[in-house]
């Protein structure tokens, strides 16, 4: 150029910066999703282990009159309680941390706003709950199929 002035394309520069940030946020979301999947699988493993460890107790409740459906419902309710508590604590603590981060950033950037995607959070929570129930259906079915006589026979 005539006076050694170098021009830049603002749109390209903004796109380059936002694409880098978007990639970083996508990586964070992937790590959070991985943690969520591991937690759901762990709930399924805990449910399967509970069936094995409570074999005798399941036999006792079946012997005193619990039906197969009641035993299955008991395991599903226990899993639901654990899943709902985990999802609630995770969402609550995540929102609290994000509010604290935005409050800290506001000291330097007063116009920044916290925007909470309630629909996405609700869908993620609902999906996590449904998948946690799916991972506990098989152990609950195994628990309901335990015969009282064989469960009480062995110690």
């Amino acid at each position: 150029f005539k006076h050694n002035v170098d021009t830049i394309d603002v749109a390209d520069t903004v796109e380059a910066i936002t694409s880098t940030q978007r990639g970083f946020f996508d990586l964070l979301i992937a790590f959070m999703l991985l943690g969520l999947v591991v937690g759901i699988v762990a709930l399924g493993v805990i449910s399967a282990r509970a069936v094995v460890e409570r074999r005798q107790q399941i036999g006792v409740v079946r012997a005193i009159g619990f039906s197969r459906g009641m035993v299955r419902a008991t395991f599903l309710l226990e899993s639901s309680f654990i899943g709902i508590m985990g999802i609630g604590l995770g969402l609550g603590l995540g929102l609290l941390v994000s509010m604290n981060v935005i409050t800290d950033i506001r000291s330097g950037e007063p116009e920044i706003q916290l925007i909470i995607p309630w629909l996405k959070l609700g869908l993620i929570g609902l999906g996590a709950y449904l998948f946690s129930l799916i991972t506990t259906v098989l152990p609950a079915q195994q628990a309901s199929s335990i015969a009282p006589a064989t469960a009480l026979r062995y110690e």
Side-chain angles (χ1 to χ4, degrees):
F1 294 103
K2 193 173 192 180
H3 299 289
N4 289 334
V5 176
D6 202 13
T7 60
I8 59 169
D9 188 4
V10 176
D12 288 343
T13 306
V14 169
E15 178 63 31
I17 291 171
T18 56
S19 68
T20 304
Q21 289 176 345
R22 201 173 309 122
F24 177 71
F25 289 136
D26 288 345
L27 182 65
L28 285 177
I29 289 170
F31 279 128
M32 286 188 271
L33 183 62
L34 180 65
L36 185 62
V37 168
V38 168
I40 290 171
V41 170
L43 184 60
V45 169
I46 289 170
S47 296
R49 186 173 174 160
V51 170
V52 172
E53 290 178 353
R54 297 182 193 167
R55 188 171 182 84
Q56 223 172 14
Q57 290 88 354
I58 294 168
V60 169
V61 296
R62 287 283 310 222
I64 62 172
F66 272 50
S67 67
R68 288 178 179 225
M70 292 170 75
V71 171
R72 186 180 317 112
T74 302
F75 274 89
L76 289 175
L77 282 173
E78 178 184 355
S79 165
S80 290
F81 178 75
I82 293 169
I84 289 171
M85 290 299 292
I87 292 166
L89 282 171
L91 287 175
L93 289 174
L95 287 172
L96 184 68
V97 167
S98 64
M99 287 177 192
N100 286 338
V101 166
I102 292 298
T103 302
D104 288 343
I105 293 173
R106 272 199 190 127
S107 62
E109 297 280 332
E111 67 275 350
I112 196 166
Q113 294 180 356
L114 174 64
I115 299 172
I116 301 172
W118 292 110
L119 181 63
K120 283 184 182 179
L121 289 178
L123 289 175
I124 290 169
L126 181 66
Y129 175 71
L130 290 176
F131 281 116
S132 69
L133 277 183
I134 289 170
T135 60
T136 56
V137 166
L138 184 62
Q141 185 63 35
Q142 290 173 345
S144 68
S145 66
I146 293 175
T150 57
L152 294 173
R153 188 173 305 142
Y154 301 106
E155 197 170 311

